[in-house]
Amino acid sequence: MTIASGKREQYDEMATEYNAYEDLPVARLEAELIKIALGNCTGLTVLDLGGGSGVYAREAVKAGAKQVDVVDISDSMMQIGRDIEAHTSEESRIRWLLGDGTKPLIEEGVGVLPYGHYDITMANWIFDHAYTVEDLRGMWENIAASLKPGGKFIGVRAIAPGCFADYNMKTGKYGCLRSDVQPIPGGFQCKATLLTKPPFSVGCTLMDDSYKMIDKIPRQLGMTNIAKVPDEDSETVKRDLDFWQEHLDQPGVAVVTAIKNYGDVVSGPA
């Protein structure tokens, strides 16, 4: 079995369960922060890399995006999104495209827009499924190549120090428990159990460049102004500071934004 087919099977198997993730505290926080990062999308084109069932693609549409292209390795995940869109009264502004975000999308024959044509590219949680540093670079190459100069990246990821804090390793306070942590080249692999009803688990990886927010790879590819969306900006945190204090002291997840350098020549992945 190839890595790509292994990823696809994992997500196909958990497609239905993953929708329940939206009810967890950490998911509610990330959803608010992504909405803040999206802002007003009126007239914009958006790429949602690893967009699954299109939860945030639909948020971009609500914010005014004229077109959102969801690319995902799992057709089963995207089918959930297609079914949701089929029950809307308006013509869908979402396209569903099957592809592996670690590989050059255009070379794969994925029907995305030409390089340098997206105003916003989202990549939510995909870095935590880069099995190698080369996978992580491939993801960032697609992101950087897809964006217009001055275009915005938005993505959620696990970060240090909180990804190994007690609330993630012992209590599951915010809806996730990590276990079976093992070193691999360039980082760690582990199991993440999402405490939905019933709980389900998924294998994930934590590459140093991503979870430590070193971000050497995206900087090399012309991504600038890399920054976290402040957790304190969310109403979820403001409403219950006591509950979120452990996360604020040791953040374990972040919505991160970046801007594609105006000075870079648009080109495809190497």
Side-chain angles (χ1 to χ4, degrees):
M1 180 187 296
T2 65
I3 288 175
S5 65
K7 291 180 189 175
R8 187 177 298 114
E9 287 184 7
Q10 175 176 231
Y11 291 114
D12 284 348
E13 289 171 1
M14 73 177 193
T16 303
E17 290 88 346
Y18 195 79
N19 269 1
Y21 170 72
E22 298 173 40
D23 297 328
L24 300 178
V26 66
R28 294 197 296 272
L29 174 61
E30 92 179 42
E32 265 197 66
L33 296 175
I34 288 173
K35 288 178 190 177
I36 291 168
L38 281 169
N40 184 349
C41 296
T42 300
L44 302 185
T45 54
V46 178
L47 174 63
D48 190 358
L49 193 61
S53 61
V55 172
Y56 295 127
R58 289 187 289 277
E59 288 299 331
V61 168
K62 289 177 186 176
K66 67 179 179 182
Q67 179 180 323
V68 184
D69 289 344
V70 174
V71 175
D72 201 272
I73 199 169
S74 169
D75 198 51
S76 296
M77 293 284 283
M78 292 193 294
Q79 187 58 50
I80 293 170
R82 292 190 199 100
D83 291 344
I84 292 169
E85 288 294 292
H87 290 90
T88 61
S89 57
E90 298 180 3
E91 183 177 350
S92 178
R93 284 175 271 167
I94 300 175
R95 296 195 304 163
W96 306 90
L97 306 169
L98 189 65
D100 182 347
T102 67
K103 311 296 182 188
L105 296 178
I106 288 178
E107 291 179 23
E108 279 189 271
V110 180
V112 292
L113 297 180
Y115 293 132
H117 275 66
Y118 290 96
D119 298 290
I120 295 174
T121 294
M122 294 191 286
N124 297 307
W125 287 119
I126 70 169
F127 301 148
D128 300 77
H129 302 284
Y131 291 180
T132 64
V133 174
E134 289 73 24
D135 278 353
L136 183 62
R137 176 171 288 277
M139 293 169 179
W140 273 115
E141 285 177 342
N142 276 317
I143 292 162
S146 69
L147 284 166
K148 297 176 179 178
K152 180 190 283 188
F153 161 77
I154 301 169
V156 61
R157 65 172 95 164
I159 64 165
C163 54
F164 297 129
D166 281 354
Y167 67 77
N168 264 328
M169 299 297 293
K170 295 180 180 179
T171 68
K173 179 177 182 179
Y174 302 117
C176 179
L177 273 173
R178 294 189 185 276
S179 59
D180 302 337
V181 180
Q182 301 290 335
I184 58 173
F188 293 89
Q189 68 180 17
C190 63
K191 181 170 72 174
T193 299
L194 300 176
L195 304 178
T196 52
K197 297 180 180 179
F200 69 98
S201 298
V202 59
C204 59
T205 54
L206 299 163
M207 293 290 129
D208 290 349
D209 196 61
S210 180
Y211 90 93
K212 292 182 179 179
M213 286 196 66
I214 299 167
D215 287 321
K216 180 179 178 181
I217 292 172
R219 294 180 205 280
Q220 289 173 339
L221 296 169
M223 303 302 298
T224 64
N225 300 91
I226 300 171
K228 285 175 55 183
V229 179
D231 297 309
E232 295 85 350
D233 287 354
S234 78
E235 292 300 321
T236 292
V237 170
K238 290 176 185 177
R239 282 194 299 267
D240 198 344
L241 278 171
D242 287 344
F243 177 76
W244 287 101
Q245 195 60 54
E246 284 183 79
H247 169 79
L248 295 174
D249 291 342
Q250 292 185 290
V253 62
V255 173
V256 177
T257 61
I259 301 297
K260 178 65 183 292
N261 193 330
Y262 277 98
D264 283 0
V265 176
V266 174
S267 61

